[in-house]
């Protein structure tokens, strides 16, 4: 479904992705691990078409995704319907006056009828248990509430692939547990999940496969999550965990 061949990307000369080769099949649950600044968010942005490879090829459903294609509004719309992105900082992706409009934004862009939109928004608010927030301004929500709204917005488009950048960040332990169970259910329902996380306790639950980035912005391991977590020397070498780390 997703294939990156020798993909590299740099921000104004400063490298963020170096020669990335990665294949993700439909229905997989995959995690990206790695130290701060290794390129996880950049890779997720690239998978979502927000940045394009400087070199190498990114294909989604056998179609090459290029900056030029993403500039075509009809193409971009179809693409964003298939793949949804929950940003690392949810507040940067919320901009509507209230939560209802925020969740309705995507479906409206897709040209659904107001009646269908209302049903879709209500379903998503129910799924995330956030009906009480429907008239609130997204700016006045707590971090965890914003995260739930951001997830509702993405689910409102019913995408095949969900990309979540550090979704557990800033959530209380109970809400983290809720989110983990929710993601497991989505994956069971057939959604492909791509998640970046620093949470080594929960990563096993939300992924069967884990990709580890090193500080040189390239992939150093691509293994079953359980196996990768057992590679403690490797986790130390890429500076993801400290010398004292034990499982
Ligand atoms: N908009 C930007 N402009 C310039 N450089 C950037 C930009 N975004 C990221 N970078 C740089 O690209 C590299 C990769 O950043 P990225 O955000 O992908 O890392 P990350 O693995 O997601 O880190 P973290 O775990 O801290 O979220 C870093 O060196 C970062 O400083
Ligand atoms: Mg990041």
């Amino acid at each position: 479904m997703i294939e990156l061949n020798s993909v590299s990307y740099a921000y104004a000369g400063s490298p963020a992705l170096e020669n990335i080769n990665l294949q993700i099949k439909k229905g997989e649950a995959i995690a990206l691990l790695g130290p701060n600044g290794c390129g996880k968010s950049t890779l997720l942005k690239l998978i979502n078409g927000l940045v394009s490879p400087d070199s190498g090829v990114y294909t989604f459903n056998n179609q090459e995704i290029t900056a030029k294609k993403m500039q075509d509004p009809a193409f971009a719309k179809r693409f964003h319907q298939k793949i949804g992105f929950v940003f690392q900082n949810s507040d940067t992706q919320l901009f509507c006056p209230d939560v209802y409009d925020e969740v309705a934004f995507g479906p409206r862009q897709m040209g659904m009828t107001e009646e269908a939109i209302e049903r879709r928004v209500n379903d998503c608010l129910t799924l995330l248990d956030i009906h009480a927030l429907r008239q609130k301004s997204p700016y006045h929500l707590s971090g965890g509430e914003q995260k739930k709204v951001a997830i509702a917005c993405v689910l409102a488009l019913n995408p095949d692939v969900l990309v979540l950048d550090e979704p557990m960040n800033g959530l209380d332990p109970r809400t983290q547990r809720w989110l983990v169970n929710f993601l497991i259910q989505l994956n069971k329902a057939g959604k492909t999940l791509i998640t970046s996380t620093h949470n080594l306790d929960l990563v096993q639950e939300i992924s069967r496969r884990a990709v580890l980035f090193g500080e040189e912005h390239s992939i150093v391991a691509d293994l079953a999550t359980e196996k990768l977590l057992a590679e403690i020397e490797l986790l130390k070498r890429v500076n993801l965990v400290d010398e004292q780390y034990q499982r």
Side-chain angles (χ1 to χ4, degrees):
M1 184 179 222
I2 286 174
E3 188 162 348
L4 284 88
N5 285 312
S6 308
V7 165
S8 295
Y9 181 79
Y11 294 97
S14 122
L17 297 173
E18 289 277 11
N19 194 29
I20 303 296
N21 290 292
L22 184 65
Q23 289 186 3
I24 303 172
K25 294 196 189 76
K26 186 170 169 12
E28 270 200 279
I30 182 168
L32 305 184
L33 299 174
N36 292 134
C38 68
K40 302 178 297 298
S41 295
T42 306
L43 178 61
L44 297 182
K45 283 181 202 161
L46 191 136
I47 288 175
N48 281 275
L50 303 178
V51 301
S52 304
D54 292 334
S55 61
V57 177
Y58 166 36
T59 56
F60 182 83
N61 285 343
N62 298 318
Q63 233 182 346
E64 187 176 352
I65 306 301
T66 59
K68 190 152 178 274
K69 280 190 195 160
M70 291 305 293
Q71 278 160 12
D72 169 6
F75 182 88
K77 207 186 229 185
R78 279 199 306 276
F79 179 71
H80 288 305
Q81 212 163 356
K82 295 200 184 81
I83 180 161
F85 190 17
V86 178
F87 287 54
Q88 187 161 355
N89 301 311
S90 306
D91 55 341
T92 58
Q93 88 183 104
L94 304 173
F95 48 83
C96 289
D98 66 37
V99 167
Y100 183 92
D101 281 338
E102 196 69 63
V103 181
F105 182 83
R108 282 191 179 127
Q109 291 288 305
M110 297 303 155
M112 286 168 66
T113 65
E114 265 312 308
E115 205 186 341
I117 290 170
E118 196 174 336
R119 238 177 298 132
R120 184 67 70 86
V121 173
N122 280 323
D123 286 350
C124 291
L125 295 178
T126 303
L127 212 51
L128 286 126
D129 196 18
I130 51 172
H131 269 286
L133 306 179
R134 61 189 287 136
Q135 285 172 341
K136 284 199 166 189
S137 157
Y139 297 106
H140 297 154
L141 301 178
S142 77
E145 289 169 340
Q146 284 180 341
K147 185 71 73 186
K148 286 189 174 182
V149 172
I151 294 171
C153 291
V154 165
L155 290 178
L157 291 173
N158 196 22
D160 299 332
V161 185
L162 263 116
V163 176
L164 302 113
D165 199 354
E166 300 195 25
M168 252 69 92
N169 256 14
L171 299 183
D172 65 43
R174 181 178 148 271
T175 311
Q176 284 190 10
R177 168 54 46 200
W178 172 87
L179 181 59
V180 164
N181 292 340
F182 186 67
L183 294 177
I184 292 169
Q185 290 310 315
L186 288 174
N187 183 238
K188 278 195 181 140
K191 304 280 184 210
T192 306
L193 289 187
I194 308 172
T195 314
S196 87
T197 183
H198 291 299
N199 192 321
L200 299 185
D201 297 323
L202 294 175
V203 64
Q204 253 183 100
E205 300 192 48
I206 53 164
S207 68
R208 285 184 290 277
R209 175 181 163 204
V211 167
L212 178 68
F213 275 77
E215 289 176 305
E216 280 71 43
H217 314 290
S218 53
I219 293 174
V220 295
D222 183 345
L223 296 167
T225 307
E226 176 69 27
K227 278 200 173 138
L228 183 66
L229 290 175
E231 295 281 344
I232 294 182
E233 286 312 312
L234 182 60
L235 300 179
K236 286 180 182 170
R237 207 170 338 126
V238 299
N239 287 324
L240 183 63
V241 299
D242 63 42
E243 276 305 314
Q244 272 74 46
Y245 178 78
Q246 291 177 337
R247 267 192 93 194

